[in-house]
Amino acid sequence: MEEVRVFPLTCAVQNYAWGKIGLDSEVAKLVVGGDPVAVIERDKPYAELWMGAHPKGDAQIKDNRIAQTTLGQWITHYPACLGSKVKDAFQGQLPFLFKVLSVNTALSIQAHPNKELAATLHAQFPEHYPDNNHKPEMAIALTRFQGLCGFRPVDEILGFLQAVPEFHALVGRDAAEELRSSVGDEVRTGRALKKCFTKMMSCEKKVFVDELNELVKRVTQEGAAGKDTSSSNGDLLLRLHSQYPGDIGCFSIYFLNYVVLEPGQAMFLGANEPHAYIYGDCIECMACSDNTVRAGLTRKYIDVNTLCEMLNYKPASASSKIFPCVPDPADPCVTLYDPPVPDFTVMKIQVPASVKDYTVASVDSASILLVIEGDAMATSAAAFSDVTLTRGSVLFVSANESVSLQVTSQSGMTLFRACSLL
Ligand SMILES: [Zn+2]
């Protein structure tokens, strides 16, 4: 059986409450595409598709001729499939978790620790920080994707402090003045920004709930009177408040960039970068970890001290948060999303309609292949038999194996592939 190193997977769905509902969800559409008899419930959220070997959602091997039933079990048996470099660097584990997300309501504002901080937090508070790994993440938009990411340029924050008195009240006059007078001095600005954000996050609940209600009332009235509320970021405020009433995270829109990704654009979330997903469908890839420090738009635990200490207080524009992808010099069909971490790289493979025979090249790492669009017959010397690929099919490909696609759809194919290019 060891010669079988390429096989299809049935992947785990997570029905978190924030997911898009029924067949509105890209996750549900992919599930049905990959398995026509799958049942999608009309009123149920389909939030995430997990393509990997994480214990909370280990993929099932879709071939009963293979003795192991899950990808995790199979990798434990045949760690050489990871490729020798990856196997050694990541202790015999698949280093990444590949996902599809369909976001209907905002996910919590969060940041992820670097390796050093993760180890400290895990040792001190294992109940909140379940492992000692970092968790860099990359989101690639499938549909127009909205999120919050990183601190805004200081002039924008100062503009909101002036235009939104309820926000100014939480930050306080001293901290706000310190930020204003720091302009032009990067070190002082970082310090002042930290002070402003920490002041707001440390406010007593009663204080910020009163200010938030006041603000929501004012913006609602201004909107009803036909006034432009953009100086208070009114539309986004009311949207988040309707999802998380009374949540301190509603004020974070004055500190953090509102980022909109068009399909194919990406956002990379390195250590200590504050971020939140608001709406849309995306491909996501991350290092294997559950370490998340939350800052609002959540009913979960918020660790204000850790959060305020760890964040990256470097103001930058929203456009600078879009991660540059590059064409693969070796293959004109491939676009590389290669973040500055060893754990994962994502490739977008676009086979044009004119190409009917395409080879998914071997890499020296295990990889996971997801079909987003198109049909093909996949052939590999390392597979039991040919595999029919349709929208939603997921294939595990061991290191150093290639897969030949005989494209049967008229309009070409789009695939995403996750691997680790050490
Ligand atoms: Zn995150």
Side-chain angles (χ1 to χ4, degrees):
M1 290 287 165
E2 205 172 347
E3 68 276 16
V4 178
R5 293 181 301 273
V6 172
F7 45 81
L9 298 172
T10 300
C11 296
V13 172
Q14 307 288 2
N15 302 98
Y16 305 135
W18 49 259
K20 287 194 187 176
I21 308 294
L23 282 170
D24 283 344
S25 162
E26 181 69 17
V27 169
K29 287 180 200 165
L30 290 169
V31 168
V32 178
D35 177 8
V37 296
V39 175
I40 299 299
E41 293 178 45
R42 281 173 58 189
D43 304 325
K44 202 169 172 180
Y46 291 81
E48 299 192 355
L49 184 69
W50 285 25
M51 300 169 282
H54 193 285
K56 285 185 194 162
D58 196 359
Q60 300 283 317
I61 295 176
K62 208 175 172 179
D63 191 328
N64 54 21
R65 290 168 293 188
I66 295 172
Q68 290 76 26
T69 56
T70 72
L71 181 61
Q73 290 168 9
W74 194 85
I75 291 173
T76 305
H77 243 81
Y78 303 111
C81 74
L82 296 170
S84 55
K85 278 196 285 184
V86 171
K87 184 179 134 227
D88 292 347
F90 298 99
Q91 294 82 43
Q93 309 277 326
L94 189 67
F96 56 82
L97 178 57
F98 197 28
K99 293 183 180 180
V100 178
L101 266 63
S102 284
V103 181
N104 193 36
T105 55
L107 279 72
S108 55
I109 300 164
Q110 53 189 247
H112 307 290
N114 59 24
K115 278 192 176 168
E116 199 186 353
L117 178 61
T120 309
L121 291 171
H122 176 59
Q124 287 180 327
F125 313 106
E127 69 279 22
H128 296 305
Y129 305 104
D131 57 74
N132 59 11
N133 201 9
H134 67 165
K135 194 193 181 201
E137 296 171 325
M138 166 102 83
I140 305 169
L142 288 173
T143 57
R144 203 162 180 269
F145 192 78
Q146 306 160 24
L148 300 174
C149 182
F151 282 96
R152 290 174 178 273
V154 173
D155 58 333
E156 293 180 19
I157 300 171
L158 290 173
F160 286 125
L161 283 167
Q162 201 162 26
V164 187
E166 299 83 357
F167 171 52
H168 189 278
L170 299 187
V171 170
R173 194 186 303 162
D174 289 357
E177 189 44 50
E178 205 172 310
L179 185 62
R180 192 169 295 117
S181 66
S182 78
V183 173
D185 181 336
E186 219 173 283
V187 178
R188 277 187 60 210
T189 297
R191 227 182 301 146
L193 194 51
K194 181 176 178 182
K195 190 170 175 178
C196 289
F197 186 75
T198 306
K199 279 276 286 189
M200 184 188 88
M201 290 303 296
S202 315
C203 273
E204 273 181 53
K205 176 140 194 188
K206 192 191 164 334
V207 176
F208 73 70
V209 170
D210 284 352
E211 294 292 350
L212 183 56
N213 288 339
E214 198 60 41
L215 171 61
V216 166
K217 195 171 120 194
R218 179 170 66 78
V219 170
T220 307
Q221 284 169 352
E222 287 174 5
K227 283 189 198 159
D228 176 9
T229 61
S230 58
S231 65
S232 309
N233 212 346
D235 293 346
L236 185 57
L237 175 82
L238 295 184
R239 221 166 107 203
L240 293 180
H241 187 261
S242 71
Q243 297 173 7
Y244 293 92
D247 191 300
I248 186 71
C250 296
F251 282 106
S252 71
I253 60 173
Y254 302 125
F255 277 119
L256 305 181
N257 285 299
Y258 175 59
V259 177
V260 179
L261 303 177
E262 298 301 333
Q265 287 188 323
M267 185 156 70
F268 172 66
L269 307 157
N272 306 324
E273 183 85 308
H275 61 277
Y277 296 158
I278 295 176
Y279 186 83
D281 307 280
C282 72
I283 295 281
E284 195 185 43
C285 202
M286 60 182 61
C288 267
S289 165
D290 282 328
N291 285 323
T292 298
V293 185
R294 294 183 177 81
L297 303 184
T298 181
R299 290 161 196 99
K300 293 183 184 166
Y301 174 75
I302 297 183
D303 182 349
V304 173
N305 288 334
T306 300
L307 179 85
C308 294
E309 277 308 311
M310 75 189 272
L311 290 183
N312 174 12
Y313 292 98
K314 281 209 176 78
S317 68
S319 59
S320 73
K321 299 297 167 182
I322 294 176
F323 184 82
C325 53
V326 293
D328 183 347
D331 184 344
C333 296
V334 175
T335 305
L336 289 172
Y337 300 82
D338 191 13
V341 293
D343 310 68
F344 62 85
T345 296
V346 179
M347 299 174 181
K348 182 183 188 185
I349 306 174
Q350 274 176 303
V351 185
S354 57
V355 174
K356 292 300 169 198
D357 292 294
Y358 178 79
T359 302
V360 179
S362 65
V363 289
D364 60 355
S365 134
S367 64
I368 290 180
L369 200 61
L370 164 69
V371 179
I372 288 290
E373 236 177 67
D375 306 303
M377 186 60 79
T379 312
S380 170
F384 253 128
S385 47
D386 292 356
V387 182
T388 306
L389 297 183
T390 59
R391 170 168 160 77
S393 296
V394 181
L395 211 55
F396 176 79
V397 182
S398 292
N400 308 311
E401 300 296 344
S402 64
V403 178
S404 306
L405 303 182
Q406 213 188 323
V407 180
T408 49
S409 45
Q410 293 308 306
S411 52
M413 270 190 109
T414 304
L415 306 97
F416 281 90
R417 181 188 201 182
C419 60
S420 166
L421 300 178
L422 278 174

